[in-house]
Amino acid sequence: MKNIDVAVVGAGPAGLSAAIEAAKYGVKTLVIDENRQPGGQLFKQIHKFFGSQAQMAGIRGYEIGKKLLASAQMHHVQMHLNTQVIGIDETNTLAVIKDHHYSEIKARKIILCCGAAEKTLAFPGWTLPGIMGAGAAQTLVNIHRVLPGEKILMVGSGNVGLIVTYHFLQAGANVKAVIDAAHSIKGYGVHAAKIKRAGIPIMLGCTINRAIGKKQVEKAELIRVDERFNKIPSTEIQMDVDTICLAVGLSPSTELARMAGCKLYYDAKLGGYIPLINQDMQTTLEDIYAAGDMTGIEEASIAMEEGRIAGISCAVGLGYCPDTATSQRVVQNIRLNLSQLRSYKPN
Amino acid sequence: MGTGMRFNGCPSKNELASAPGVPSLEDLNRKPLAVIECIEPIPCNPCEHACPFQAITVGDPITNCPVLDPEKCTGCGTCIACCPGLAIFVIDMNFTAATALVTMPYELYPLPQEGAEIDCLGRGGNTVAKGRIHTVKTSEKFDKTALVSIELSKEFAMDVRNIRMC
């Protein structure tokens, strides 16, 4: 069994930021991630991020990822990659698997930064090859440099749908349309404007009725919906596509928090069930903290600030910050940043 | 269904007229200026810090739309590539007697060739006019966002916001 001060589960923007802050105070910190590379979703974000100049705004997502990794290395954060956390118990012990080998890691504090999973949408034909999550398609395009198809339909006009559509454009694909059952665009207007002026139709009040194809998707059948999302009969149209991307929201990955016994609650706006946390990002269990998308679906800039608070809180809790006035001031500033970052919510 | 940014992805004439980053036609006829088509309260301020002449103010709270001071703005275009929303353009309304120069952020490869004839597209992606690529600027500071300047008949300068190779 390995012993560590702080174990962070998840090497995305929240987890890396948490680990960096804790390690700055001299806390022995380990980040565990099931992926081959750290960075979470940052390395497929090829666009420049919104935000404050003071917090890396205007920088492309993958560059932010590189900065976080460099900082983690500088502060001697340990990293276990290709490592799945499959369990957590009341003694703060994590059960992990790496290369089919089981081991345990006992931590004094645990920060869960497990991120989120893509939601999906069920419709006739939805299991046909060529139908996938928008985030999965983004991984194919921006990490593996493979286009999922040539003629793409994007379902969902939130920021993920709009941004991934723009990335498709940059990769040379033909996006036939972005559709949304809602009657207004869900994401930022400027993201919509970028694809609109490239000639991509944004069809609102419109949903997918079924996917048609033999060995893979060949056509999408769209149908109009009214203000209450009821399908309007005889408004079906068919569109030739070989790929349908679903950008219909994300669901916080709360499995470990649930297993640990953290109290969860339901918040539809934040994506579903999420752990109840206090302003230090502490869950209802004293030694377990949570940050990032698993505490509510928001922007990466918010995940990073939340992670920083969790990291500092753990350092304070473990007695690594004799000068609590200074660390309190830092946390106060982060909270201020957070409230500014949260002050606008599209729709 | 309504009109404007939230309903079709194009800022409407009214939305643009009330945006504090969009200068008046009177000012645009006087000198080259940045046109900041940022109309939503997004928590974002890199443009404020990019301007070497302090012509752009976001201030506090960070969700303020950027305000352009047409007196301080020189139309240098430094702000264009820093905008994550690709919402800043520079318009030189009196490039020649008959033409205007519209400079826009461009992130598609291949980059257009200087001198090439191109289709000029409106905010809705519709072809509005023919134009010519005047210059294509890249720099490390722009971080892979190119600044493409197109020369076109000045009557279309306030409508054209994208290009398509012919």
Side-chain angles (χ1 to χ4, degrees):
Chain A
M1 162 131 39
K2 182 182 171 75
N3 283 282
I4 194 85
D5 286 338
V6 171
V8 181
V9 183
L16 288 175
S17 302
I20 291 164
E21 289 304 319
K24 275 184 191 171
Y25 288 95
V27 178
K28 279 204 253 349
T29 307
L30 167 70
V31 181
I32 308 162
D33 196 292
E34 64 186 347
N35 295 291
R36 284 183 305 163
Q37 299 291 336
Q41 309 305 308
L42 279 174
F43 284 95
K44 62 188 199 188
Q45 308 307 330
I46 59 171
H47 57 284
K48 294 175 181 171
F49 276 29
F50 291 133
S52 165
Q53 186 74 10
Q55 293 125 38
M56 303 201 270
I59 301 177
R60 297 184 189 276
Y62 65 89
E63 295 285 354
I64 294 175
K66 282 192 209 165
K67 281 174 195 278
L68 288 178
L69 290 187
S71 179
Q73 197 167 24
M74 193 177 84
H75 291 100
H76 308 293
V77 171
Q78 299 175 51
M79 200 89 70
H80 283 191
L81 299 171
N82 285 319
T83 307
Q84 259 186 321
V85 177
I86 57 161
I88 182 169
D89 72 13
E90 65 283 358
T91 67
N92 297 337
T93 302
L94 298 173
V96 303
I97 289 189
K98 183 177 188 177
D99 300 333
H100 307 286
H101 177 75
Y102 176 87
S103 65
E104 293 176 352
I105 297 167
K106 189 171 168 57
R108 295 170 68 196
K109 302 271 187 200
I110 293 169
I111 308 177
L112 299 174
C113 302
C114 307
E118 294 197 271
K119 286 182 182 165
T120 188
L121 193 65
F123 47 86
W126 73 304
T127 55
L128 282 169
I131 303 175
M132 63 191 80
Q138 192 188 30
T139 302
L140 276 176
V141 173
N142 292 344
I143 302 289
H144 302 292
R145 313 283 179 100
V146 177
L147 270 178
E150 299 285 317
K151 297 172 289 180
I152 301 171
L153 172 70
M154 179 64 71
V155 181
S157 72
N159 283 327
V160 172
L162 299 174
I163 287 170
V164 175
T165 296
Y166 185 65
H167 293 176
F168 280 145
L169 264 180
Q170 291 180 298
N174 171 15
V175 182
K176 308 274 283 197
V178 175
I179 66 167
D180 202 307
H183 290 260
S184 65
I185 293 167
K186 307 297 278 182
Y188 285 121
V190 283
H191 288 323
K194 284 190 276 194
I195 61 172
K196 182 77 181 184
R197 65 180 182 246
I200 296 174
I202 301 175
M203 298 160 65
L204 301 171
C206 176
T207 193
I208 183 156
N209 202 35
R210 63 187 174 122
I212 303 162
K214 289 200 176 83
K215 287 186 174 164
Q216 69 151 75
V217 57
E218 293 162 23
K219 284 177 196 296
E221 186 173 277
L222 311 181
I223 188 165
R224 300 206 64 81
V225 295
D226 64 20
E227 299 286 340
R228 309 187 69 138
F229 305 113
N230 296 311
K231 291 178 179 174
I232 304 171
S234 311
T235 59
E236 297 91 342
I237 55 164
Q238 291 189 355
M239 191 178 264
D240 285 336
V241 297
D242 58 15
T243 307
I244 299 175
C245 288
L246 303 174
V248 291
L250 299 165
S251 184
S253 299
T254 55
E255 295 87 344
L256 285 176
R258 198 182 288 269
M259 189 187 284
C262 303
K263 188 167 185 221
L264 304 185
Y265 72 106
Y266 189 83
D267 186 325
K269 278 196 173 145
L270 287 172
Y273 278 99
I274 47 177
L276 184 63
I277 45 167
N278 66 17
Q279 60 169 6
D280 295 324
M281 309 307 294
Q282 189 178 31
T283 67
T284 49
L285 299 177
E286 191 186 349
D287 295 322
I288 299 185
Y289 293 70
D293 271 359
M294 74 167 284
T295 65
I297 307 301
E298 295 178 287
E299 302 278 327
S301 51
I302 289 176
M304 289 188 276
E305 299 292 289
E306 287 184 345
R308 292 178 65 207
I309 293 179
I312 295 170
S313 301
C314 286
V316 171
L318 292 172
Y320 279 86
C321 307
D323 179 10
T324 48
T326 307
S327 59
Q328 270 308 312
R329 226 176 8 253
V330 175
V331 170
Q332 283 305 336
N333 274 331
I334 300 174
R335 288 196 187 117
L336 205 68
N337 294 341
L338 272 173
S339 69
Q340 292 221 338
L341 289 170
R342 286 187 171 124
S343 52
Y344 172 66
K345 292 200 193 307
N347 279 14
Chain B
M1 192 169 289
T3 57
M5 195 76 132
R6 297 232 64 82
F7 299 99
N8 62 14
C10 309
S12 67
K13 284 226 162 11
N14 284 341
E15 284 172 330
L16 290 172
S18 52
V22 177
S24 67
L25 276 178
E26 196 185 353
D27 284 330
L28 280 163
N29 280 321
R30 218 154 41 83
K31 60 193 269 213
L33 288 172
V35 174
I36 309 175
E37 300 193 351
C38 180
I39 63 159
E40 289 180 323
I42 300 170
C44 189
N45 67 5
C47 55
E48 179 173 36
H49 299 270
C51 179
F53 305 101
Q54 288 82 48
I56 304 175
T57 309
V58 174
D60 186 28
I62 191 176
T63 43
N64 290 338
C65 286
V67 180
L68 184 83
D69 181 340
E71 300 311 315
K72 290 184 182 165
C73 177
T74 67
C76 70
T78 305
C79 52
I80 295 177
C82 84
C83 173
L86 306 188
I88 307 183
F89 306 84
V90 167
I91 303 204
D92 181 353
M93 203 54 105
N94 298 302
F95 186 63
T96 68
T99 63
L101 196 70
V102 176
T103 305
M104 59 184 65
Y106 195 77
E107 294 188 331
L108 301 184
Y109 289 116
L111 292 176
Q113 294 288 317
E114 291 181 357
E117 298 288 324
I118 42 96
D119 287 331
C120 300
L121 310 184
R123 294 185 185 84
N126 48 316
T127 303
V128 171
K130 289 281 182 190
R132 194 179 61 82
I133 303 290
H134 183 262
T135 42
V136 177
K137 281 191 211 158
T138 56
S139 109
E140 203 171 313
K141 209 174 75 181
F142 299 162
D143 187 15
K144 300 181 175 68
T145 306
L147 267 49
V148 173
S149 298
I150 55 171
E151 186 179 2
L152 75 171
S153 174
K154 59 173 71 177
E155 60 184 303
F156 302 117
M158 291 314 283
D159 298 322
V160 167
R161 292 296 177 265
N162 197 11
I163 55 167
R164 184 184 291 128
M165 317 298 182
C166 294

